[in-house]
């Protein structure tokens, strides 16, 4: 049987469940009347910067208040490609099974030859957070955030949570097949796209600065990790050593390893991933 993608299976899963939500659609936030019951709403393609890629979609649940927590989705694509639409299946199943959370699905500026992803894409996440805070009263949400990232988006989610969250607003972060350590010798046999922007391998100092493994701290938020043992892009050591590092720092975390899976998976292991991810979000966020 032809193998289908991880995202496509999420679409299949959510289509088997009756899902309905009366939402308004707009492209910019406007004040909401708090004297009546708070209706669900969505704002699409909200600009948080001047670049076309600096936009996000936000999905607001009904009857929310200033304590309603925010879950931010960050797409992958090797820092050079990808789009928030790839995270829509995660958004939809989260709306169905985690209905009390605000969902924010973000785009960020993409790297290319001569345009480094770092710190550009991390700065974009900062801009998203600042925009959410500025519009907190309009959206009626809290300033408590959780991240779910895939691949390069998982790397950015971890790194921002560990080294850019100066106000400790992040409650948890999830890495699905995300790179963790650019100084890992196992990368020597892999063409790592982040290194191609410079023509040569960057310095050790640079690699450590943009590696979650080297930037995680004892005060970093709870983290859940999901990795495949047959991943052609992410060495097994990336997840295993991150797990060990979090253990040494005594940070609440979970590590799920699927020996026969690659850079994404389907079937029972995908169901296992979602079950564990949902429980982790509910426990820590």
């Amino acid at each position: 049987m032809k193998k289908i993608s991880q995202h496509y299976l999420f679409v299949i899963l959510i289509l088997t469940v009756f899902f309905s939500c009366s939402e308004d659609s707009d492209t910019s936030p406007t004040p909401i009347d708090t004297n009546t019951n708070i209706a669900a709403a969505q704002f699409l393609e909200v600009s948080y910067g001047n670049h076309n890629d600096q936009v996000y979609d936000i999905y607001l649940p009904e009857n929310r208040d200033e304590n309603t927590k925010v879950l931010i989705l960050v797409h992958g694509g090797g820092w050079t490609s990808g789009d928030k639409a790839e995270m829509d299946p995660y958004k939809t199943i989260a709306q169905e099974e985690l209905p009390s959370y605000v969902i924010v699905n973000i785009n960020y500026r993409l790297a290319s030859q001569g345009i480094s992803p770092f710190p550009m894409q991390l700065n974009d996440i900062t801009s998203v957070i600042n925009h959410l805070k500025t519009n907190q009263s309009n959206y009626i949400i809290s300033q408590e955030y959780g991240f779910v990232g895939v691949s390069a988006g998982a790397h950015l989610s971890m790194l921002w949570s560990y080294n850019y969250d100066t106000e400790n607003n992040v409650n948890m972060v999830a890495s699905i097949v995300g790179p963790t350590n650019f100084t890992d010798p196992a990368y020597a046999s892999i063409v790592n796209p982040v290194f191609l922007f410079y023509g040569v391998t960057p310095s050790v100092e640079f690699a450590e600065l943009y590696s979650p493994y080297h930037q995680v701290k004892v005060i970093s938020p709870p983290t859940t990790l999901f990795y495949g043992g047959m991943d052609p892009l992410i060495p097994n050591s990336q997840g295993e050593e991150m797990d060990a590092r979090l253990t040494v720092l005594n940070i609440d975390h979970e590590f799920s390893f699927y020996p026969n899976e690659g850079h994404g998976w389907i079937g029972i292991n995908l169901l296992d991933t979602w079950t564990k991810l949902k429980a982790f979000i509910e426990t820590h966020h």
Side-chain angles (χ1 to χ4, degrees), residues 81-215:
S81 63
D83 186 85
K84 57 185 169 61
E86 298 166 12
M87 299 298 287
D88 278 346
Y90 291 86
K91 175 269 297 183
T92 305
I93 198 169
Q95 283 184 299
E96 172 64 27
E97 299 198 13
L98 297 167
S100 65
Y101 291 87
V102 173
I103 310 297
V104 178
N105 192 7
I106 75 170
N107 269 352
Y108 49 85
R109 289 171 291 174
L110 301 176
S112 60
Q113 189 66 38
I115 301 177
S116 171
F118 313 135
M120 176 178 70
Q121 293 171 354
L122 295 154
N123 290 340
D124 279 357
I125 294 177
T126 299
S127 294
V128 169
I129 296 295
N130 289 340
H131 195 272
L132 292 173
K133 289 182 176 181
T134 298
N135 289 281
Q136 180 184 6
S137 60
N138 292 337
Y139 288 144
I140 314 176
I141 60 176
S142 73
Q143 293 188 12
E144 295 186 63
Y145 311 107
F147 281 92
V148 175
V150 174
S151 193
H155 162 265
L156 294 170
S157 297
M158 285 186 289
L159 187 57
W160 196 92
S161 299
Y162 297 162
N163 202 36
Y164 286 71
D165 179 24
T166 58
E167 297 183 4
N168 297 320
N169 292 138
V170 177
N171 290 338
M172 53 74 57
V173 57
S175 168
I176 302 173
V177 299
T180 63
N181 183 8
F182 294 140
T183 67
D184 186 348
Y187 263 133
S189 60
I190 297 176
V191 178
N192 188 340
V194 74
F195 293 164
L196 299 180
F197 306 127
Y198 308 95
V200 296
T201 301
S203 67
V204 172
E205 292 77 13
F206 181 92
E208 289 182 352
L209 181 61
Y210 294 109
S211 294
Y213 176 88
H214 292 283
Q215 298 304 318

Side-chain angles (χ1 to χ4, degrees), residues 27-52:
T27 58
S28 59
T30 55
I32 298 171
D33 184 2
T34 58
N35 294 319
T36 61
N37 291 333
I38 305 301
Q42 67 179 27
F43 300 101
L44 307 179
E45 299 293 314
V46 178
S47 295
Y48 65 86
N50 296 324
H51 194 280
N52 289 338

